[in-house]
Amino acid sequence: MKNLDSKSHVRGESVYLDDIPVVEGTLYACVFDSPVAHGKLRSVNTDEAASAPGVVRVITANDLIGENQIGGILPDEPLLANGEVHFCGMPIAVVLAESDEQARAAASLVKAEIEPLEAIVDAREAFAKGSLIAAPKRFKLGDTEKAFESCAHVFEGKTRSGGQEHLYIETQGAYTLPSETGGLRVFSSTQGPTAVQKAVASVTGIPMNLIEVDVTRLGGGFGGKEDQANAWAAICAVSTQLTKRPVKYSLHRMEDMRMTGKRHPYSSDYRIGLDADLRIVAYDVVFYQNAGASCDLSLPVLERTLFHCTNSYFIPNVSAVAYSCKTNLPPNTAFRGFGGPQGMFVIESAIAHAADALGVDRDEIQRRNLLSSGDELPYGQIVESEAREAWSQADSVYDFATLKKEADEFNKTGGHLKKGVAMMPICFGISFTKTPMNQARSLVHVYTDGSVAVSTGAVEMGQGVNTKIAQVAASVFGISIEKVKVHTTNTLRIANTSPTAASAAADLNGKATQIACEKILERLNEVAAELELESWPPVGTGSGGDRQIGPPEGETPNWVELVNEAHLRRVNLSEHAHYATPGVGFDWSVAKGHPFAYHVFGTAIVGATVDCLRGTYEFDYVKCCHDFGQSMNSAVDRGQIEGGIVQGIGWMTIEEVVYDSEGRLRSNALSTYKIPDVYSVPDEIAIEALETTRPNLAVFNSKAVGEPPLMYGIGAYFAIREAVKAFDKENLPAFDAPFTAEKVLMNLHRS
Amino acid sequence: MLRFILNNQTVETDLPSGMTVLDFVRYHKNLKGTKIGCREGDCGACTVLVGELTDGEVGYRSMTSCLMPLANAAGKHIVTIEGINPADGGLTPAQTALVDESGTQCGFCTVGFVMSLTGYSLSGGERSGETALSAIDGNICRCTGYKSIERAAKRICDLQFAICNSTISAAEVAGSQIDQAISTGTVPNYFESIGERLRMLFTEDSNRKLKIENRKWMAGGTDLYVQKHEEMVHAGAVSLFDDPSLRFINETADSVEIGPSVVVTDLLESEVFNRLFPDLYRHLKLVSSTPIRNMATLAGNFVNASPIGDMTAWFIALGARIELRDQFSGDERTIALADLYLGYKTLDRRDSEIISKITFGKDFTHFNFEKVSKRTYLDIASVNTAISLKVSDGMIERALVSMGGVAPTPLLLRKTSEFMTGRPFGHETFAAAELLIQDEIVPISDVRGSAEYKRLLARQLFRAHGLAVSSEQ
């Protein structure tokens, strides 16, 4: 089953925010943002901008009717700077003009008098100065202090991992229209329609029931539009409220890169203790997260770093502390993996450190410490593990020993090319770690012509969630998928949504859709029984799997007839269903609980070739064995894995977010911030399914697949590192990601 | 007034000739299939096809519409996705391949890939996995990880290959890529009339002269529109891009003369260049991407004066000379390309002068080009360098080494070059010469690397030259 949007995508007929036909009278917004990372905002002079051609109005913080606040978790994020500026790119004023060009030209005429204050750009510096977003978070299992005393080997060190620009190809944007009741219709490129609705309500003072947020699809999100779409929608909303005119703002790339947050950079300290058998007995880790200037989603990101700080390994004694450090960078935010990758990079580094020091292979330590079912994770959940199964399947299917041997043989030939091979197991928890967010609703209408309309809280951004939801409806009803349309995500149809995030949208919204369809089906079954229809029902419910969708002929016998008959009998053909993940919960007062519905496991083998003359590298392969549960859409899931791997490799290698010491973004365009192109991807990506039959809480047992594969990309770092070590075995590169060509070359030729 | 064919329609416009084709098609013609990703030619979401009459045939190349002024569309066929979508709602082979291989996720970059693959089908040349990938090397996708798109590209390649190798078909009798593309449903039928329509357009328009007051000279626009977008979009841009008198590659007995508006792709397709530079494809692959190579002119690269221009480094190492012609007086003078650069973005060139000819001697025996950037392809170099040697009887008669990214201007490493000249062709000369480089370069730390790194890279890439030329015979 292909992504249902494929055809309109390739014909260029899919509609994104900037493609929505513009209504007469529309104004265009452009933000004037702070050129200074930290300072006192003495005055803002908008006179010249206001009298520029086409300008209708210039808005500053004082003009807001509602609250100047869009912080979703903590109320620490003003929409427009007032009194102080906290990062380069912080919006100060909004220029509204008759054309996009006029708005842009006028925005450059706004003058702000800013008295600079000291800017902090580094997390450890912020920590040293006591600049924290909130109190630290801690996980504790066993007794590390005692455990370290008994360890045969103890190693400690530091790691760093860099930020990552989302680089959704569609930039952020919003378009708001006034409605006759004083409300607003908001089109937004957002993963969180309800978050946008709340932000708009906050800054306008308009109640949520008068704010309709509608999302057709996104040209990519990756977490960057989970919370950070709010500001642009809020800016347009305020502008519409004040001018009574439609207002559109579609950001230019450099504005987007400059004004929005990214993946959180981390700096971390680790201490790892092993016994004589290479079992990890104790692990002590301190994370310093660079949160940027306000909380945004930094705290839940920080929490997930803790949740994944031991990756796929069982460690009986763990002490983990995480500090969210407040700096003068744009507020960093969600990005595929949500803090998990940053946590995993540290434990993988600690293991590599131990392996180097002990003269053993890194994979030897990894393998000996994999999780088994029944093991306790540092946060108290007892894991149902597939870690060992995934590892051994990858090991045997791809013949890891031979891959390593081939690399060793190659490296003996003495040319300037060196190969490195690395294993990378993953374990990723599925569910929002904030338990109340694990709920969703679905609205299903069956029409008298037999067609079906579904609305949920899930946002389609390329991950295929709408396709999976349509599969659920088609499968439950036993009808052809062509009869099902999944409609835009709209806050009037589906209220109080959780953002499309945490890899959980298909599970939550798919399950809600399943419930809604099953309720309608139950009523249809009753009608069928009364009619004594012979061929009804033709297909069992809830069977799942793209192989099982729909009857062979594509039409269910009697479907239309039955639907019509039900309608004549005044049977309800609509359902609004609610799903809440059962059994999940977490108690932060003791930092223990069962936060995840299930975990996703897998193991990848990454092979790299480093050109030791030039410091450049290529990836020969990524071969993974991935835990799909039972995939309901193998085409979509494969795409998620390939895309996730490449994004993860990008984070670990060429993607380098660079701020200068004044907090100005230097990697501020596609010419200076490089994401993988067609030539930087591995020559081969092999995917082997670990088909697990154990029942789980995934929709149709098809496990979430959005985020986990990104973390296979961490293996790329260690594969390069192995190759660098092969060039000079005394050479032990620091754990400092991304491993850019510069770092590779500087490591290779230190003298 | 500018006239061109947009899809199946002849359009006339009085809008500023500096306006980009991207803005024109999206906001003036409501063709929303072409997407805006970066507005600097680095993502390919806005890729369109540009058809141009050459030698009586329409040839199509892919270009990024965000960097293309209307001035450069004049007299051509501009094709957006709406111009190739089958009218019956069906799909072209490129579209089908992307759907079947799940080569589209969020869909925002997809149209760019469709256009690039369609351009590939319309172009001549060798059919291989490598050339198919090369066709999409200017398209960035953030969702798929490219493997599915690679599979789609391979399908297109296989299809093309099958066509090329099939026994004589009606299309082959006609002998035209376009007829072939029409027969496979790659492009709609109206493409067959484009050649004639362009000829008529050309005849009608050739009598008109563009006003040249308040003009802004421009060529391919690939850097101008990145650096000075706001300024250019309102400008009455006068294009040097399409002047046939500025676009030639002539070989003489001992030299090669090149027109300033020759684009990088022209070099790739030139018999002369392929003969003189056996590693041409491998080297030029390091220079930007297919759509940019289709637009970027040599003279544009030179006068842009970026310290890191790839083609500048290339031609400095060839000892190229440039002819500067004053557009008002008609005076001409010739200087060495290396002498054009007086300081950071400062040139020995008057505003009224344009480069009218580039010349280099053919008597080099060895040539190599090296470039390292954060991302190997479609990136700006941290350091680039080229070397040409004239070796005779084991002696270096002449050495020229250029280097970019290590000073405020593109450098000819004069001391290093002089040192090598007259010495034996071998490792010892290179080993001694590499020490001189460090005194000739003054790199600074920036987003492309620290000064320390660039110094190391300079040494390493010079060593790479040594390896490359010693293995070359």
Side-chain angles (χ1 to χ4, degrees):
Chain A
M1 170 72 53
K2 303 298 171 203
N3 185 319
L4 294 175
D5 285 343
S6 301
K7 195 177 163 187
S8 61
H9 285 350
V10 296
R11 284 178 59 92
E13 292 168 349
S14 298
V15 176
Y16 303 84
L17 187 105
D18 194 40
D19 304 332
I20 296 170
V22 171
V23 172
E24 197 182 344
T26 293
L27 295 175
Y28 293 81
C30 185
V31 161
F32 167 77
D33 59 297
S34 176
V36 174
H38 190 202
K40 292 230 179 285
L41 184 58
R42 292 292 179 208
S43 68
V44 184
N45 184 337
T46 61
D47 295 348
E48 202 183 338
S51 57
V55 174
V56 170
R57 180 149 185 182
V58 184
I59 294 168
T60 58
N62 294 332
D63 297 315
L64 302 190
I65 291 171
E67 246 191 294
N68 185 15
Q69 185 52 244
I70 57 165
I73 289 174
L74 298 180
D76 67 347
E77 190 176 355
L79 177 65
L80 297 173
N82 194 10
E84 280 196 5
V85 291
H86 297 290
F87 61 94
C88 279
M90 184 175 188
I92 293 175
V94 183
V95 176
L96 302 173
E98 301 286 351
S99 81
D100 180 48
E101 263 186 7
Q102 288 170 332
R104 270 166 214 293
S108 65
L109 303 174
V110 176
K111 305 269 184 297
E113 194 193 330
I114 301 169
E115 180 191 324
L117 298 170
E118 185 197 37
I120 303 175
V121 295
D122 178 73
R124 285 188 194 254
E125 185 191 346
F127 174 79
K129 290 178 175 161
S131 173
L132 295 180
I133 295 285
K137 304 267 180 183
R138 291 170 203 277
F139 274 4
K140 195 167 169 49
L141 181 69
D143 184 342
T144 43
E145 272 185 37
K146 226 165 94 185
F148 273 116
E149 287 170 16
S150 71
C151 287
H153 315 287
V154 176
F155 305 100
E156 55 184 64
K158 282 186 195 318
T159 74
R160 286 202 317 186
S161 63
Q164 185 176 25
E165 163 65 43
H166 301 84
L167 226 124
Y168 27 67
I169 310 290
E170 180 207 27
T171 54
Q172 304 263 5
Y175 185 27
T176 55
L177 294 95
S179 66
E180 61 183 16
T181 52
L184 291 165
R185 180 142 208 242
V186 182
F187 296 101
S188 166
S189 179
T190 180
Q191 294 171 242
T194 295
V196 162
Q197 190 186 21
K198 282 182 177 167
V200 168
S202 165
V203 297
T204 59
I206 298 171
M208 286 168 76
N209 68 342
L210 293 181
I211 300 165
E212 175 187 7
V213 180
D214 191 272
V215 185
T216 302
R217 66 165 60 72
L218 316 185
F222 315 112
K225 295 171 182 172
E226 180 175 345
D227 219 48
Q228 301 226 335
N230 299 357
W232 325 113
I235 280 167
C236 291
V238 162
S239 304
T240 291
Q241 185 183 33
L242 293 173
T243 60
K244 312 285 182 214
R245 288 175 68 170
V247 176
K248 177 173 166 177
Y249 190 20
S250 176
L251 274 68
H252 277 206
R253 178 62 63 186
M254 283 171 85
E255 295 174 321
D256 188 309
M257 292 181 82
R258 186 172 75 224
M259 296 196 282
T260 67
K262 303 162 201 325
R263 184 189 292 284
H264 294 80
Y266 274 65
S267 185
S268 311
D269 298 327
Y270 63 83
R271 188 166 178 233
I272 189 169
L274 299 91
D275 68 15
D277 292 330
L278 301 180
R279 287 188 201 286
I280 307 171
V281 179
Y283 182 54
D284 194 341
V285 60
V286 184
F287 298 105
Y288 301 92
Q289 176 203 53
N290 191 331
S294 58
C295 177
D296 192 274
L297 293 166
S298 294
L299 294 177
V301 167
L302 189 80
E303 289 162 16
R304 201 174 264 274
T305 301
L306 290 174
F307 282 113
H308 294 94
C309 70
T310 54
N311 191 12
S312 287
Y313 310 109
F314 173 64
I315 306 177
N317 301 286
V318 176
S319 164
V321 186
Y323 298 95
S324 184
C325 307
K326 188 173 177 171
T327 61
N328 296 109
L329 299 184
N332 286 315
T333 192
F335 196 136
R336 203 174 194 173
F338 206 74
Q342 292 96 317
M344 290 185 194
F345 180 71
V346 184
I347 183 72
E348 293 299 333
S349 298
I351 289 171
H353 181 168
D356 287 346
L358 296 172
V360 299
D361 286 346
R362 181 177 155 269
D363 55 277
E364 196 54 40
I365 301 178
Q366 291 175 306
R367 186 179 56 79
R368 291 190 192 202
N369 289 282
L370 293 169
L371 283 164
S372 301
S373 288
D375 285 342
E376 185 181 350
L377 292 162
Y379 45 94
Q381 182 159 347
I382 304 302
V383 70
E384 282 191 46
S385 175
E386 309 282 358
R388 288 173 180 273
E389 291 79 353
W391 178 286
S392 42
Q393 194 169 325
D395 189 5
S396 63
V397 171
Y398 302 121
D399 193 358
F400 179 59
T402 302
L403 292 172
K404 261 209 315 194
K405 204 168 142 225
E406 282 169 1
D408 289 343
E409 293 297 320
F410 180 92
N411 291 341
K412 280 181 199 155
T413 58
H416 65 265
L417 300 180
K418 296 290 175 202
K419 288 190 184 289
V421 182
M423 275 278 199
M424 182 64 206
I426 60 159
C427 162
F428 198 77
I430 302 301
S431 287
F432 288 101
T433 55
K434 187 179 173 190
T435 304
M437 293 172 77
N438 296 295
Q439 55 169 315
R441 280 151 296 280
S442 175
L443 176 65
V444 177
H445 297 312
V446 178
Y447 293 89
T448 54
D449 66 352
S451 63
V452 175
V454 183
S455 296
T456 73
V459 171
E460 177 61 47
M461 46 191 175
Q463 85 281 41
V465 69
N466 281 0
T467 304
K468 287 185 172 177
I469 286 169
Q471 280 183 269
V472 169
S475 180
V476 173
F477 289 138
I479 58 173
S480 149
I481 200 154
E482 282 77 40
K483 284 205 182 309
V484 182
K485 171 66 186 168
V486 179
H487 283 277
T488 64
T489 316
N490 186 297
T491 55
L492 295 188
R493 269 177 271 129
I494 303 292
N496 309 322
T497 62
S498 292
T500 293
S503 308
D507 277 0
L508 296 171
N509 296 281
K511 288 264 190 182
T513 302
Q514 188 179 352
I515 293 167
C517 294
E518 283 171 354
K519 283 187 176 165
I520 295 170
L521 187 71
E522 262 174 49
R523 298 195 284 265
L524 288 172
N525 281 342
E526 285 170 21
V527 176
E530 287 168 24
L531 290 169
E532 297 182 352
L533 283 179
E534 275 176 24
S535 55
W536 183 268
V539 174
T541 62
S543 52
D546 51 346
R547 295 156 297 235
Q548 294 141 308
I549 297 296
E553 303 304 315
E555 276 302 332
T556 301
N558 300 325
W559 167 254
V560 178
E561 183 193 334
L562 182 66
V563 165
N564 265 297
E565 188 58 33
H567 180 62
L568 293 174
R569 290 173 185 232
R570 297 188 290 174
V571 170
N572 180 8
L573 290 173
S574 297
E575 189 67 42
H576 182 263
H578 170 82
Y579 173 75
T581 314
V584 292
F586 197 75
D587 181 356
W588 270 108
S589 68
V590 291
K592 295 287 177 193
H594 188 99
F596 298 117
Y598 58 90
H599 289 82
V600 172
F601 296 86
T603 296
I605 309 171
V606 183
T609 302
V610 173
D611 177 337
C612 298
L613 185 63
R614 301 175 179 85
T616 55
Y617 43 77
E618 286 177 356
F619 296 96
D620 303 321
Y621 54 80
V622 175
K623 297 166 188 275
C624 70
C625 175
H626 185 82
D627 165 25
F628 290 94
Q630 290 159 290
S631 174
M632 69 183 287
N633 191 320
S634 48
V636 164
D637 285 355
R638 181 179 185 178
Q640 287 299 295
I641 292 188
E642 290 173 344
I645 286 173
V646 169
Q647 216 168 53
I649 292 177
W651 172 53
M652 282 282 112
T653 58
I654 59 176
E655 295 187 37
E656 188 175 33
V657 176
V658 182
Y659 288 98
D660 65 17
S661 59
E662 309 291 305
R664 282 182 299 248
L665 182 65
R666 289 306 182 194
S667 52
N668 64 348
L670 268 70
S671 52
T672 45
Y673 184 78
K674 309 310 281 189
I675 67 168
D677 67 339
V678 71
Y679 292 130
S680 14
V681 303
D683 291 343
E684 179 196 5
I685 295 181
I687 301 164
E688 182 76 18
L690 180 73
E691 292 259 350
T692 49
T693 49
R694 197 193 321 230
N696 60 47
L697 284 171
V699 60
F700 290 180
N701 281 331
S702 179
K703 284 189 172 182
V705 71
E707 291 165 288
L710 181 129
M711 285 149 270
Y712 292 138
I714 296 172
Y717 185 92
F718 292 95
I720 293 176
R721 196 170 178 276
E722 290 301 317
V724 170
K725 281 162 56 187
F727 180 77
D728 174 2
K729 67 181 186 323
E730 301 303 311
N731 198 345
L732 300 174
F735 301 103
D736 183 5
F739 220 147
T740 56
E742 172 166 1
K743 285 184 200 157
V744 170
L745 198 70
M746 299 298 271
N747 267 299
L748 286 166
H749 306 277
R750 285 186 182 178
S751 43
Chain B
M1 188 168 58
L2 291 165
R3 297 209 304 165
F4 55 97
I5 303 173
L6 175 58
N7 298 330
N8 194 15
Q9 201 181 18
T10 301
V11 296
E12 300 186 347
T13 178
D14 287 322
L15 287 162
S17 57
M19 174 183 276
T20 64
V21 169
L22 174 62
D23 285 327
F24 181 75
V25 299
R26 276 187 65 83
Y27 302 121
H28 293 270
K29 290 293 165 186
N30 201 39
L31 299 171
K32 297 287 182 72
T34 306
K35 303 300 182 201
I36 304 174
C38 69
R39 287 185 182 273
E40 56 174 17
D42 262 318
C43 80
C46 68
T47 305
V48 297
L49 297 182
V50 179
E52 195 179 352
L53 269 179
T54 33
D55 304 329
E57 285 279 322
V58 189
Y60 287 89
R61 281 178 176 175
S62 59
M63 300 194 185
T64 54
S65 59
C66 65
L67 300 179
M68 183 179 187
L70 287 175
N72 284 354
K76 294 182 189 162
H77 184 206
I78 305 297
V79 189
T80 68
I81 189 77
E82 292 84 357
I84 60 163
N85 277 339
D88 64 0
L91 302 178
T92 67
Q95 291 171 328
T96 303
L98 282 165
V99 170
D100 287 353
E101 294 295 347
S102 292
T104 173
Q105 289 187 20
C106 85
F108 205 81
C109 71
T110 303
V111 163
F113 280 95
V114 172
M115 298 314 289
S116 294
L117 287 172
T118 305
Y120 178 66
S121 302
L122 284 171
S123 67
E126 191 198 339
R127 300 297 172 193
S128 66
E130 172 135 40
T131 56
L133 275 197
S134 186
I136 52 170
D137 63 4
N139 295 93
I140 294 293
C141 168
R142 189 53 152 166
C143 295
T144 61
Y146 301 97
K147 300 314 282 186
S148 51
I149 298 174
E150 272 180 28
R151 292 190 283 271
K154 182 163 187 319
R155 272 199 192 207
I156 293 301
C157 174
D158 291 347
L159 177 71
Q160 290 290 311
F161 200 72
I163 294 166
C164 296
N165 288 315
S166 63
T167 49
I168 293 173
S169 65
E172 271 184 299
V173 174
S176 134
Q177 292 290 338
I178 291 166
D179 292 342
Q180 220 170 63
I182 291 171
S183 71
T184 55
T186 298
V187 294
N189 289 334
Y190 77 83
F191 270 65
E192 69 191 358
S193 68
I194 296 296
E196 190 48 39
R197 288 160 69 182
L198 284 179
R199 262 184 288 277
M200 282 169 61
L201 207 61
F202 181 76
T203 318
E204 289 167 23
D205 284 357
S206 59
N207 296 326
R208 301 180 194 176
K209 282 277 176 224
L210 286 165
K211 286 184 195 166
I212 52 168
E213 296 97 52
N214 191 26
R215 65 194 162 182
K216 292 232 183 265
W217 298 114
M218 48 150 289
T222 54
D223 199 61
L224 200 57
Y225 274 79
V226 176
Q227 307 296 338
K228 299 185 171 180
H229 178 90
E230 308 293 329
E231 196 178 318
M232 289 307 298
V233 291
H234 297 289
V238 175
S239 178
L240 303 169
F241 190 62
D242 294 320
D243 186 339
S245 68
L246 301 176
R247 218 166 162 174
F248 56 86
I249 299 175
N250 296 330
E251 189 177 14
T252 67
D254 52 8
S255 67
V256 178
E257 297 176 348
I258 312 169
S261 295
V262 159
V263 298
V264 181
T265 301
D266 295 333
L267 303 185
L268 271 168
E269 294 179 358
S270 142
E271 184 274 324
V272 179
F273 269 77
N274 277 287
R275 174 157 40 81
L276 292 176
F277 303 93
D279 277 329
L280 189 71
Y281 175 77
R282 191 170 61 80
H283 287 155
L284 289 183
K285 189 180 166 189
L286 292 165
V287 178
S288 64
S289 64
T290 296
I292 303 301
R293 288 191 291 266
N294 287 341
M295 303 165 80
T297 65
L298 294 184
N301 195 264
F302 298 168
V303 299
N304 176 30
S306 161
I308 202 74
D310 289 328
M311 297 320 295
T312 310
W314 183 296
F315 279 89
I316 286 179
L318 288 172
R321 298 178 68 76
I322 54 171
E323 180 186 86
L324 290 157
R325 185 200 299 148
D326 191 298
Q327 290 298 92
F328 294 119
S329 65
D331 292 349
E332 287 173 358
R333 63 191 177 104
T334 298
I335 61 170
L337 173 60
D339 294 335
L340 178 65
Y341 306 101
L342 304 176
Y344 180 69
K345 295 263 177 185
T346 313
L347 298 181
D348 174 17
R349 173 190 157 268
R350 290 190 297 273
D351 281 348
S352 55
E353 283 178 323
I354 64 160
I355 296 178
S356 47
K357 191 163 76 184
I358 303 152
T359 312
F360 67 91
K362 295 195 296 185
D363 61 344
F364 58 93
T365 54
H366 299 75
F367 179 84
N368 189 49
F369 176 71
E370 293 284 336
K371 168 179 173 178
V372 166
S373 44
K374 203 168 274 178
R375 184 173 68 195
T376 302
Y377 300 98
L378 181 47
D379 196 359
I380 297 168
S382 297
V383 173
N384 58 14
T385 171
I387 186 170
S388 79
L389 299 175
K390 183 182 180 188
V391 178
S392 173
D393 295 332
M395 296 297 285
I396 300 172
E397 283 188 14
R398 189 190 62 234
L400 289 168
V401 185
S402 67
M403 200 167 272
V406 291
T409 64
L411 285 188
L412 170 63
L413 299 179
R414 293 175 199 274
K415 285 182 189 152
T416 308
S417 303
E418 277 164 27
F419 173 82
M420 295 178 81
T421 300
R423 285 178 199 264
F425 177 51
H427 175 73
E428 277 175 20
T429 300
F430 272 88
E434 91 174 28
L435 302 172
L436 298 176
I437 295 174
Q438 298 299 326
D439 293 333
E440 293 204 71
I441 61 177
V442 281
I444 54 165
S445 295
D446 60 18
V447 72
R448 308 204 187 283
S450 64
E452 192 189 5
Y453 168 58
K454 290 176 187 174
R455 283 192 176 276
L456 175 59
L457 198 50
R459 185 191 81 181
Q460 292 299 114
L461 294 184
F462 187 71
R463 287 182 183 177
H465 280 323
L467 287 176
V469 296
S470 63
S471 66
E472 198 183 88
Q473 285 309 326

